[in-house]
């Protein structure tokens, strides 16, 4: 088995022939949460390449196994073109030499629909029947021999997280074969090969795929509904013959799973989970861990050391010295922020996300809030980037990639950058609100949530299109696997840091240049009349707002030094919460949403922050 070298560049997955024509391409395909990543890691080793699929923000992983190139597709329920994930998966599957179809053995009636479609595409394949340990504990019995006979391809039982059956899967890939197709469908597919290049693409045309049809200059057919119905009937018949339920009692995890999506019990469970997230991320990580990494380690040891080192080469009082090791220096504040603050927060959130994901709770949370999110032009899946945004708006913005449409990504990104305070800022805000009284705290919360709701509602009405339906796997509730959780946390955290650090260095460089050139002083003088006249708070607050452009918690922390009444405190906190995203978030915003949309959000946040803050001030003070 060979390991690929890590890559930091992006390149297409599907651009004609492979770079090494002699290599065969194995593509992993399966529903979400079936364990494909474990199979991918086993087949390729630790070091893999992660890149974006051409024309999308869908992240794919590729690696090597001997002479085979291995590609891991996004989780899908069927091969089609309804969103970026399905488009990427569809094209990779069409180009595959062999497909490894990973199936959740607890949900054969759902997962075998994709299996049957892959067989209809004429692809040589192997089926890995995962989670077989759960089949046994649930009192189910699957006739593996009969299932293999009905499908016509190798069916191998596995428990991926325990490495059971993975060697058999790897050995079977070189002997992959096509499965048993419906004879009538096979005949119709053969007739279309004169117009379309492959049986897989012929099936896509028959199912009405406009993208594939346009690629070959033919008109899409309207057979999707009849083909889907026939496929569903075949799957139901297969499951009826191969699965027996031997259980006599309801499993505890099934009770928990149903409770998590029932509003009567799900809302209290959600409140408990969100409180636990706040305690872990907002208190323990943002307070204790960051206090040690940022305050003691980076500011206490690293920054004095790096300033002393650079003082041998550059006078720290010169413009170059300020840019390199000054207050906003590239080697002082920038590195401290990335390693001392951002990295612990990112790892903490990805750890919590992996725990919720691996336990099966995260998709249930999305299902629970789906109806609420629909009113904002989103679906329940958007709860994931919004939750992550409370830890780091950059992280939340990047995570909007998992949403199905450009429209949903735009709405979620606007909500994140208008109304969601990051955990570092939230810690400062919570401390200041503790001294103003319960009534003013409720006023602050009501104003922020009103802005959030209005932002989503207005964009939902203004942007063309409509929300996509929530199609999300509800896997069984289970205890998270420690090794799986740690692997996901480490991989995602490193990928995020690789994405974020160039943009933050660029932003910090711009701010440092503004500081040494006097640009920051000009900003402060321009904002001072607005803060005193309209917001009715001390003119020194303009400095805090300028600092908030650099780092949100810097801006909030700057307000703690001012002498203000409780009402002024609330007004200032409303403005700093709704104020422009920090420079690092802005850089990520440009990268994810493009120049025009990023500038609209950045400019709009200025207007919303001072307009809402001023209205509250005029009414309250």
């Amino acid at each position: 088995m060979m390991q690929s070298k890590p890559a930091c560049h992006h390149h297409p997955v599907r651009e004609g022939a492979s770079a090494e024509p002699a290599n065969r391409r194995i593509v992993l395909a399966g529903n979400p949460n079936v364990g494909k990543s474990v199979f991918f890691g086993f087949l390729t080793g630790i070091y893999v390449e992660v890149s974006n699929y051409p024309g999308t923000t869908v992240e794919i992983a590729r690696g090597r196994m001997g002479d085979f190139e291995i590609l891991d597709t996004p989780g899908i329920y069927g091969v089609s073109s309804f969103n970026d994930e399905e488009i990427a998966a569809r094209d990779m599957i069409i180009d595959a030499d062999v497909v490894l179809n990973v199936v959740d053995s607890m949900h054969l009636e759902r997962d075998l629909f994709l299996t049957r479609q892959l067989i209809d595409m004429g692809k040589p394949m192997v089926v890995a029947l995962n989670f077989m340990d759960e089949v046994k504990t649930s009192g189910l019995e699957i006739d593996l021999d009969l299932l293999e006979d009905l499908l016509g391809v190798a069916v191998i039982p596995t428990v991926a997280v325990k490495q059971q059956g993975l060697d058999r899967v790897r050995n079977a890939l070189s002997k992959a074969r096509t499965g048993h197709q419906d004879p009538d469908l096979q005949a119709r597919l053969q007739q279309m090969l004169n117009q379309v290049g492959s049986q897989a693409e012929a099936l896509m045309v028959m199912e009405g795929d406009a993208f594939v049809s346009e690629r070959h200059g033919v008109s899409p057919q309207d057979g999707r509904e009849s083909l889907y119905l026939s496929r569903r009937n075949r799957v139901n018949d297969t499951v009826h013959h191969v699965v027996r339920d031997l259980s006599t009692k309801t499993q505890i995890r099934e009770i928990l799973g149903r409770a998590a999506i029932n509003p009567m019990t799900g809302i209290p469970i959600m409140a408990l989970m969100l409180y636990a997230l706040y305690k872990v991320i907002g208190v323990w990580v943002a307070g204790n861990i960051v206090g040690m990494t940022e305050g003691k380690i980076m500011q206490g040891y690293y920054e004095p050391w790096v300033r002393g080192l650079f003082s041998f080469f550059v006078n720290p009082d010169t413009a170059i010295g300020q840019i390199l090791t000054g207050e906003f220096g590239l080697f002082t504040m920038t590195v401290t922020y990335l390693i001392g603050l951002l990295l612990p927060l990112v790892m903490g959130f990805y750890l919590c996300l992996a725990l919720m994901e691996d336990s099966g709770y995260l998709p249930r949370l999305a299902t629970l809030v789906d109806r609420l999110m629909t009113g904002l032009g989103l679906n329940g899946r958007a709860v994931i980037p919004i939750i992550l945004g409370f830890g780091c708006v950059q992280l939340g913005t990047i995570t909007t990639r998992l949403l199905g449409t450009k429209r949903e990504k735009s709405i979620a990104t606007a909500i994140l950058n208008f109304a969601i305070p990051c955990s570092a800022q939230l810690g400062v805000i919570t401390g200041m609100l503790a001294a103003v009284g319960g009534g003013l705290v409720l006023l602050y919360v009501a104003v922020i949530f009103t802005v959030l709701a209005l932002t989503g509602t207005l964009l939902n009405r203004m942007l063309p299109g409509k929300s996509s339906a929530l199609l999300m796997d509800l896997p069984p509730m289970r205890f998270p696997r420690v090794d799986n959780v740690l692997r996901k946390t480490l991989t995602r955290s490193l990928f995020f840091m690789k994405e974020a650090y160039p943009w933050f260095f660029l932003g910090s460089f711009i701010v440092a240049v503004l500081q040494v050139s006097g640009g920051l002083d000009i900003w402060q003088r321009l904002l001072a009349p607005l803060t005193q006249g309209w917001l009715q708070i001390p003119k020194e607050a303009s400095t805090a707002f300028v600092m908030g452009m650099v780092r949100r918690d810097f801006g909030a922390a700057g307000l703690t030094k001012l002498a203000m009444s409780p009402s002024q405190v609330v007004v200032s906190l409303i403005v700093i919460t709704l104020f422009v995203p920090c420079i690092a978030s802005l850089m990520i915003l440009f990268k994810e949403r493009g120049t025009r949309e990023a500038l609209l959000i950045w400019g709009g946040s200025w207007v919303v922050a001072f307009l809402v803050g001023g209205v509250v001030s005029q009414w309250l003070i």
Side-chain angles (χ1 to χ4, degrees):
M1 192 189 320
M2 296 178 61
Q3 295 178 341
S4 65
K5 298 180 180 179
C8 57
H9 58 278
H10 298 290
H11 53 277
V13 173
R14 186 180 188 272
E15 293 289 344
S18 171
E20 300 179 37
N23 295 333
R24 301 183 68 198
R25 178 173 292 179
I26 298 175
V27 171
L28 277 72
N31 286 200
N33 301 313
V34 295
K36 286 191 293 89
S37 60
V38 182
F39 285 85
F40 182 81
F42 176 81
L43 295 175
T44 62
I46 298 174
Y47 298 107
V48 299
E49 296 181 9
V50 179
S51 58
N52 286 348
Y53 185 78
T56 75
T57 56
V58 177
E59 298 165 10
I60 63 148
R62 66 164 68 205
R64 304 202 65 80
M65 183 186 73
D67 292 333
F68 288 100
E69 180 184 31
I70 313 293
L71 296 175
D72 188 14
T73 64
I76 54 173
Y77 297 97
V79 183
S80 56
S81 306
F82 294 118
N83 55 47
D84 284 352
E85 286 81 3
E86 292 183 349
I87 291 172
R90 178 203 66 201
D91 285 349
M92 285 188 279
I93 290 169
I94 286 175
D95 283 349
D97 295 299
V98 176
V99 174
L100 172 56
N101 177 211
V102 183
V103 170
D104 184 345
S105 56
M106 291 291 294
H107 293 92
L108 290 185
E109 71 287 346
R110 179 200 64 200
D111 287 27
L112 288 183
F113 183 87
L114 175 61
T115 305
R116 275 294 180 190
Q117 188 177 27
L118 294 171
I119 290 174
D120 290 343
M121 295 175 77
K123 289 295 178 181
M125 57 188 291
V126 172
V127 172
L129 213 56
N130 202 19
F131 305 119
M132 285 299 291
D133 54 337
E134 296 185 5
V135 170
K136 295 178 180 178
T137 58
S138 298
L140 298 177
E141 183 180 88
I142 299 176
D143 190 332
L144 297 175
D145 292 335
L146 179 57
L147 179 60
E148 186 166 307
D149 288 340
L150 292 174
L151 297 179
V153 298
V155 176
I156 301 173
T158 65
V159 182
V161 294
K162 298 179 181 178
Q163 306 285 296
Q164 295 177 9
L166 299 192
D167 285 326
R168 289 185 59 196
V169 170
R170 180 174 55 194
N171 296 334
L173 289 171
S174 60
K175 305 172 185 176
R177 60 183 185 269
T178 57
H180 297 323
Q181 293 180 325
D182 178 86
D184 292 337
L185 174 62
Q186 188 175 28
R188 293 165 61 191
L189 290 171
Q190 290 298 321
Q191 292 175 0
M192 287 200 63
L193 290 180
N194 294 328
Q195 299 174 281
V196 182
S198 69
Q199 186 170 311
E201 291 173 300
L203 181 67
M204 293 294 96
V205 173
M206 290 176 61
E207 293 184 356
D209 190 302
F211 293 91
V212 176
S213 300
E214 183 180 359
R215 187 183 299 164
H216 292 279
V218 299
S219 299
Q221 299 185 7
D222 59 356
R224 174 182 286 126
E225 185 173 344
S226 61
L227 289 171
Y228 277 27
L229 180 60
S230 173
R231 190 174 297 139
R232 170 50 55 198
N233 289 335
R234 297 188 72 190
V235 169
N236 292 343
D237 183 66
T238 298
V239 174
H240 173 72
H241 282 89
V242 303
V243 178
R244 287 200 302 161
D245 188 353
L246 306 178
S247 62
T248 58
K249 61 181 181 179
T250 304
Q251 301 291 322
I252 294 178
R253 64 183 180 184
E254 293 178 356
I255 297 175
L256 290 174
R258 288 195 295 267
I261 59 176
N262 185 316
M264 294 294 293
T265 52
I267 292 176
I269 292 174
M270 178 181 68
L272 183 62
M273 291 296 297
L274 294 179
Y275 177 73
L277 276 176
Y278 166 75
K279 294 294 288 185
V280 172
I281 304 300
V283 177
W284 185 56
V285 176
N288 300 338
I289 302 298
V290 168
M292 179 183 66
T293 56
E294 183 182 30
K296 293 183 179 180
I297 298 176
M298 300 304 294
Q299 294 176 348
Y301 296 99
Y302 168 76
E303 288 191 13
W305 173 79
V306 80
R307 286 192 179 99
L309 179 64
F310 273 83
S311 66
F312 289 106
F313 310 101
V314 180
N315 186 339
D317 296 325
T318 63
I320 296 297
Q322 288 294 307
I323 292 173
L324 294 177
T325 61
E327 183 181 359
F328 305 108
L330 296 178
F331 292 94
T332 48
M333 187 204 77
T334 307
V335 177
T336 295
Y337 179 82
L338 284 169
I339 298 178
L341 176 70
L342 187 58
L343 182 59
L345 288 172
V346 168
M347 293 192 69
F349 258 90
Y350 271 136
L351 176 64
C352 292
L353 181 67
L355 287 170
M356 290 194 295
E357 184 180 50
D358 226 44
S359 67
Y361 177 71
L362 192 61
R364 286 171 171 81
L365 176 61
T367 302
L368 182 67
V369 302
D370 181 57
R371 183 173 297 179
L372 175 64
M373 290 293 181
T374 301
L376 303 179
L378 303 167
N379 62 38
R381 192 187 293 267
V383 74
I384 299 171
I386 289 177
I387 286 178
L388 291 177
F390 278 101
C392 177
V393 174
Q394 301 169 61
L395 182 59
T397 302
I398 289 179
T399 313
T400 59
R401 295 174 180 180
L402 61 82
L403 303 182
T405 66
K406 180 181 178 181
R407 179 179 187 271
E408 291 171 342
K409 294 172 185 176
S410 296
I411 294 174
T413 301
I415 289 174
L416 282 165
N417 287 275
F418 275 137
I420 302 297
C422 65
S423 62
Q425 185 188 35
L426 192 59
V428 179
I429 291 173
T430 302
M432 294 182 69
L433 286 176
V436 302
L440 290 176
V441 172
L442 290 177
L443 174 64
Y444 168 84
V445 173
V447 170
I448 299 304
F449 272 94
T450 299
V451 172
L452 187 155
L454 286 176
T455 300
T457 302
L458 291 175
L459 289 175
N460 184 29
R461 295 181 178 180
M462 293 169 56
L463 295 179
K466 60 181 181 179
S467 302
S468 61
L470 177 66
L471 297 173
M472 182 168 281
D473 176 30
L474 289 181
M477 299 289 287
R478 57 171 72 96
F479 283 107
R481 296 276 305 185
V482 175
D483 55 343
N484 205 28
V485 168
L486 293 179
R487 187 185 304 110
K488 288 181 179 180
T489 301
L490 181 61
T491 302
R492 292 169 175 174
S493 298
L494 291 178
F495 181 72
F496 171 81
M497 295 300 292
K498 186 181 74 172
E499 290 267 315
Y501 85 84
W503 297 95
F504 188 76
F505 269 97
L506 174 62
S508 298
F509 175 75
I510 294 171
V511 173
V513 171
L514 284 175
Q515 185 199 33
V516 300
S517 64
L520 286 182
D521 292 332
I522 296 174
W523 274 108
Q524 292 170 10
R525 289 196 297 271
L526 289 173
L527 284 177
L530 187 61
T531 56
Q532 286 183 291
W534 175 239
L535 299 178
Q536 304 181 79
I537 58 179
K539 64 179 181 180
E540 291 81 8
S542 61
T543 301
F545 296 145
V546 173
M547 293 303 300
M549 296 171 62
V550 183
R551 254 182 62 177
R552 283 183 149 194
D553 60 315
F554 273 8
L559 297 174
T560 63
K561 304 173 183 178
L562 305 180
M564 293 187 290
S565 67
S567 297
Q568 288 177 316
V569 168
V570 171
V571 170
S572 64
L573 290 179
I574 288 173
V575 176
I576 203 70
T577 302
L578 301 177
F579 198 49
V580 294
C582 68
I583 194 70
S585 296
L586 181 62
M587 294 299 102
I588 295 297
L589 188 59
F590 272 101
K591 180 178 183 297
E592 292 295 312
R593 306 307 315 147
T595 302
R596 180 177 177 274
E597 193 169 321
L599 288 176
L600 283 173
I601 291 176
W602 190 79
S605 62
W606 277 83
V607 175
V608 170
F610 284 101
L611 176 62
V612 174
V615 169
V616 174
S617 173
Q618 298 299 317
W619 170 74
L620 187 62
I621 300 177

